Amino acid sequence: MPTIKEFFAGVSLSGEPQKGKKIILALFASVLLVAAVVGVVTGVKSMENNSGNGALSSEAHAVVKSSCSSTFYPELCFSAIANGGGGVAGKKLSSQKDVIEISLNITITAVDHNSAAIKKLIKARKNLNGREKTALRDCMEMVDETLHELHATVKDLEQYPTKKSLIRHADDLKTLVSSAITNQGTCLDGFSHEDADKHVREALIDGQEHVEKMCSNSLAMIKNMTDTDILNQKKLSGNTNKNRKLKEDHNDGAKWPEWLSAGDRKLLQSSNVKPDVVVAADGSGKYRTVSEAVAKAPERSSRRYVIRIKAGLYKENVDVPITKTNIMFVGDGRISTVIAASRNVVDGSTTFHSATVGVVGARFFARDITFQNTAGPANQQAVALRVGSDQSAFYRCNVIAYQDSLYVHSNRQFFVNCYVVGTIDFIFGNSAVVFQDCDIHARRPGPQQKNIVTAQGRMDRNQNTGIVIQKSRIGATPDLRPFQKEFPTFLGRPWMEYSRTVIMQSSITDVIDPAGWDIWDGNFALNTLVYREYNNTGAGADTSRRVNWKGFKVITNSAEVVSYTPGVFIDGDNWLSGTGIPFSLGL
């Protein structure tokens, strides 16, 4: 997985000493990079210090001050608005909602500045190495996704609070801005593998961190506003559960995402699939590759578009971009339908770009498919499946690789009855994701390596992200079992400062070290992380010898874990319903 903190701390994920790094850039590239640094810094300073014509009235001044007081960067929050950034003049500023909308628009302008800076760097591509070029392309993708998310936030905010329930508004708004924050870190992560990457990183860091802080401020204000409104509504109604209406399903009632039509649900349970198109490696379908089928799929579709992938091995990298919505992959079986490739960091890819299959378009669904990266344990980060699709679900799928198998990048995701296998940080990212009724197994790693099941990357305390493993089975593959003592295995480690992972109602074998959790680098994040265990069973579930970090807790009261159930944590009661397979919204 991306290794910014590790790289700058000089720590190697593989357990082996880091190789010597080359620090060579052509003079022409250096000049361009320095120019880009100056340009970005100047642009950021201008945005932060501009004394434009947007002077605030005393009433507006008080509203902005009050709104910004809930943020992590209140001075930046206030100055960006008070100094006229984003065209404040003439705009109404009488509520926190007004302040949030203006803050978001100012942030959109800042993202546009970053886009221009990245494009300047891309012009120097002949003088950059392959991974740097790839990382810049990753950054442009992050720009596009961030702009999409921020514009969607503004649109949703304009409809607040009457378009939908307050809780649904809150979940949607926080998800969008949380994802925008994550994107800024993802851009910079691509420049963390070589010493030479530092030069490119320096050209981008001011702009990326500025947008991250602005997004953080907007997220803090959104959380403050929605929390207050929800609390007031509860007080008025006298019913603290009225808005959520969480259905506790204790009888394994069958559920499916609400956005699946009745016909789709039948399709998912039927062996007689009637797809829109068929992909077959042997030429018996309309397309021979999955990528071609995705490319020909309609854009921004509001209806389900089914791509049936017939049994076979598809050696390709597949991207489902943000414009391809409501795509469904249906395989002939998780064993017989395999999409595999081998991009990896050692051979010059970024972690983000290494994914065999990368999914971004909203409401993606996959059934009966294996996603695999065949790079092997010596090639470090090599992702099999990367998911940034909001309200996406995976049923009866395999995700198989070594380091960084499954990149749960951003937004809301659900995995049910899936099999996930890997070694180091093999489930990582910063989405809000729940794994239910899944088999999650560590495999034998490379020499002197250890296994880490999760590396969650929550960057901001207000992000509604985290990894939840519920009613699942955590164990070891057959190749690891005889050697468990040689390769310690842990439930997780904190990739970012507010890393959040919850293991609940699951079976854990003795493959897990008695300490349970591992450090990232010294005392980093041990006080700020949120690691929880609740009602697990098996030899590896014994918590008597667990770590004693401030951020770790064994929960004994069920009321404390309801917030991590699918119905609440990924807003599942608004998009998970119907019939199809057994899973529950609650405990």
Side-chain angles (χ1 to χ4, degrees), residues 276-280 283-289 292 296 305:
D276 290 278
V277 294
V278 174
V279 177
S284 60
K286 184 172 183 178
Y287 304 112
R288 286 181 177 271
T289 68
E292 188 178 7
K296 299 296 184 180
Y305 187 83

Side-chain angles (χ1 to χ4, degrees), residues 21 31 41 51 76 84 106 114 120 146 282 354 366 442-443 506:
K21 309 295 182 180
V31 171
V41 173
S51 57
L76 172 62
I106 293 171
N114 286 352
K120 285 183 179 179
T146 299
D282 61 6
S354 72
R443 68 192 302 182
S506 295

Side-chain angles (χ1 to χ4, degrees), residues 255-258 414 566-567 570-578 583 585:
K255 306 290 182 185
W256 275 116
E258 188 178 68
F414 187 81
I570 56 174
D571 192 32
D573 54 325
N574 280 318
W575 63 281
L576 292 171
S577 65
F583 78 87
L585 288 174

Side-chain angles (χ1 to χ4, degrees), residues 360-375:
V360 182
R363 297 176 296 281
F364 177 85
F365 193 92
R367 185 196 85 176
D368 293 329
I369 296 173
T370 288
F371 305 94
Q372 186 173 12
N373 192 308
T374 60

